[in-house]
Amino acid sequence: MEFSLRQLMVAAVAALALTGTAVAADMSDEAIAERIKPVGSVYLEGDAPAGPAVAAGPRSGDAVYGTFCAACHGTGVMGAPKIGDATDWSPRLAKGNDVLADHAINGFNAMPAKGSCMDCSDDEIIAAIDHMIEGL
């Protein structure tokens, strides 16, 4: 049995129509409210957050690394020193911790300022560096 492109497209459209109908079948007020509820909230600076409380205190170096640094420093993208790789980190460490922190916080070469973690404090960035060079 050979299907033509037209038959295949009709079957695909029918399948999508049936799937969409099944999803939207529950038209109760509660189901509609669940489907259209906001995914976030906005508040003005100085106001209390409208959602769950934000974690108090600084994030750990491991948490900052895992969220913001791992994409580049896990694989060495664009020359980023890889986590735990003494060969990659040695020339950077030779310049001193102050230079290393300055480059991470303010950006240097391909590294954007704070590794694009614009809500990270300087201390959190330094904790992430410490996490990456731990055990060298």
Side-chain angles (χ1 to χ4, degrees):
M1 176 181 232
E2 187 174 314
F3 284 100
S4 70
L5 181 58
R6 182 181 179 137
Q7 289 172 321
L8 189 58
M9 289 182 68
V10 167
V13 168
L16 287 172
L18 290 173
T19 302
T21 303
V23 170
D26 187 354
M27 297 301 290
S28 68
D29 289 343
E30 294 82 20
I32 293 170
E34 179 64 27
R35 287 194 299 269
I36 66 170
K37 72 179 181 184
V39 295
S41 57
V42 177
Y43 61 95
L44 299 175
E45 186 175 343
D47 291 345
V54 178
R59 292 167 280 199
S60 69
D62 179 46
V64 172
Y65 169 80
T67 305
F68 299 100
C69 310
C72 296
H73 289 280
T75 60
V77 170
M78 295 182 66
K82 293 180 288 301
I83 185 172
D85 188 323
T87 304
D88 286 353
W89 284 98
S90 292
R92 291 161 175 90
L93 292 171
K95 294 178 182 177
N97 289 345
D98 290 341
V99 172
L100 188 60
D102 178 64
H103 288 174
I105 292 165
N106 298 308
F108 184 75
N109 293 333
M111 168 126 177
K114 294 188 175 187
S116 296
C117 178
M118 299 320 297
D119 68 338
C120 284
S121 69
D122 292 356
D123 289 338
E124 288 173 326
I125 297 297
I126 292 168
I129 294 168
D130 291 342
H131 173 74
M132 288 188 274
I133 63 174
E134 189 174 56
L136 295 182

